[in-house]
């Protein structure tokens, strides 16, 4: 049940356990709670089914308890990393869910573009901040981004994750890394053939993704940017654009 005291969480899908496919937790078994709704609309978003309001009828308003019971069922009651993704999960009331899970030994990671901060960021175990580069056609509000870091109070493990499609994105990534030297940096080549919403297993130009990965590795090594880690999207290598894996 949701009410004023216990607001509901807008959920697009809950699935797993599978592996985390990106960034600092890559390869780690994870249950995903993907929330519905986003304050951005990136040109290459690969999760439009959780962003585009045309798909809001597929989203479900769930109480923190109901979300938690689904996570417990998927994980067989055995503590696992829970990834809060979206959409932008930061626009949902997730503090109570995190408290509940922590009480039972689960850990929580959240990834957000850094446009909305919440006090409960400090309760997370891992906070991945992924500001969106120029190719997304979004504009970064660095004051809002700084507010996310302040809310986290250095309590969770934190990282910067940057998607890079082209030279402008690469320059943006370098600027962002210079702005936050305290954060480890993960670079990821973009998927230029993201799935259309509703297409459960859409075509992907894997050769193109791999070419961009090689290009990015060459750029980083030629630049002697030795602090950056370059990673593919592991789930894309394994399953292409398939959903729910
Ligand atoms: S911030 Fe993420 S979920 Fe939102 S539109 Fe951009 S890529 Fe999609």
């Amino acid at each position: 049940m949701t009410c004023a005291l216990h607001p509901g969480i807008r959920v697009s899908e809950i699935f797993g356990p599978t592996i985390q496919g990106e960034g600092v937790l890559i390869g780690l078994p994870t249950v995903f709670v993907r929330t519905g709704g986003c304050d951005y609309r990136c040109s290459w978003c690969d999760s439009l089914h959780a962003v585009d309001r045309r798909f809001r009828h597929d989203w479900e308003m769930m109480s923190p308890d109901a979300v938690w019971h689904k996570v417990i069922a998927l994980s067989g009651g055995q503590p696992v990393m829970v990834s809060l993704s979206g959409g932008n999960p930061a626009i949902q009331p997730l503090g109570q869910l995190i408290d509940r899970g922590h009480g039972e030994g689960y850990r929580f990671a959240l990834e957000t573009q850094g446009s909305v901060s919440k006090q409960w960021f400090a309760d997370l175990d891992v906070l991945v901040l992924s500001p969106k580069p120029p190719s997304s056609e979004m504009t970064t509000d660095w004051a809002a981004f700084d507010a996310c870091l302040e809310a986290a109070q250095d309590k969770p493990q934190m990282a910067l994750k940057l998607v890079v499609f082209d030279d402008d994105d690469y320059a943006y990534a370098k600027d962002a890394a210079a702005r936050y030297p305290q954060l480890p940096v993960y670079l990821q080549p973009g998927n230029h053939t993201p799935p259309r919403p509703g297409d459960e297993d859409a075509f992907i130009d894997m050769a193109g993704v791999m070419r961009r990965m090689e290009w990015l590795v060459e750029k980083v090594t030629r630049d002697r940017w030795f602090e950056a880690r370059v990673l593919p999207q592991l789930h894309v290598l394994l399953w292409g654009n398939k959903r729910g894996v």
Side-chain angles (χ1 to χ4, degrees):
M1 193 202 303
T2 67
C3 64
L5 278 179
H6 300 108
I9 300 168
R10 196 179 298 117
V11 173
S12 166
E13 55 187 346
I14 303 176
F15 62 92
T18 179
I19 49 159
Q20 171 57 259
E22 306 179 357
V24 56
L25 298 175
I26 193 165
L28 188 71
T30 299
V31 168
F32 282 85
V33 176
R34 187 187 298 286
T35 60
C38 188
D39 47 321
Y40 273 25
R41 185 65 187 264
C42 301
S43 61
W44 35 250
C45 179
D46 60 3
S47 309
L48 274 178
H49 62 287
V51 171
D52 191 328
R53 286 188 55 77
R54 278 181 300 161
F55 294 87
R56 67 187 183 281
H57 302 297
D58 297 335
W59 306 343
E60 191 180 345
M61 192 59 89
M62 296 174 75
S63 67
D65 267 4
V67 174
W68 181 243
H69 286 135
K70 186 99 194 257
V71 170
I72 287 275
L74 288 171
S75 61
Q78 192 173 324
V80 68
M81 179 63 76
V82 180
S83 265
L84 305 167
S85 69
N88 183 3
I91 63 179
Q92 302 297 324
L94 296 171
Q96 199 186 340
L97 175 70
I98 294 165
D99 284 350
R100 175 92 191 256
H102 276 162
E104 300 192 34
Y106 286 65
R107 300 177 74 228
F108 289 83
L110 177 135
E111 177 172 327
T112 178
Q113 63 265 43
S115 55
V116 175
S117 61
K118 290 283 170 67
Q119 289 310 310
W120 48 258
F121 281 4
D123 299 330
L124 290 162
D125 298 283
V126 180
L127 174 61
V128 178
L129 293 163
S130 183
K132 302 307 176 197
S135 64
S136 69
E137 298 172 16
M138 297 291 114
T139 303
T140 306
D141 176 347
W142 290 112
F145 195 90
D146 288 345
C148 291
L149 285 170
E150 277 161 31
Q153 300 172 40
D154 274 340
K155 289 192 177 155
Q157 177 185 354
M158 287 197 280
L160 261 188
K161 195 188 85 181
L162 294 140
V163 176
V164 178
F165 278 84
D166 54 29
D167 284 324
D168 287 348
D169 289 357
Y170 185 78
Y172 172 96
K174 287 209 90 167
D175 283 351
R179 195 183 266 266
Y180 303 103
Q182 74 275 30
L183 299 181
V185 178
Y186 292 80
L187 303 180
Q188 177 178 300
N191 173 6
H192 56 286
T193 49
R196 284 185 308 277
D199 193 343
E200 301 277 327
D201 197 6
F203 165 79
I204 185 165
D205 175 15
M206 195 65 84
V209 170
M210 295 313 290
R211 271 197 304 278
R212 190 168 281 116
M213 178 82 194
E214 280 178 39
W215 168 81
L216 193 48
V217 169
E218 272 171 29
K219 283 211 66 110
V220 164
T221 50
R222 204 182 317 128
D223 253 7
R224 295 188 162 73
W225 188 6
F226 295 149
E227 297 78 30
R229 294 170 175 84
V230 184
L231 286 178
Q233 289 178 292
L234 189 51
H235 57 290
V236 166
L237 295 187
L238 289 170
W239 298 298
N241 277 332
K242 201 169 181 12
R243 244 179 79 179
V245 286

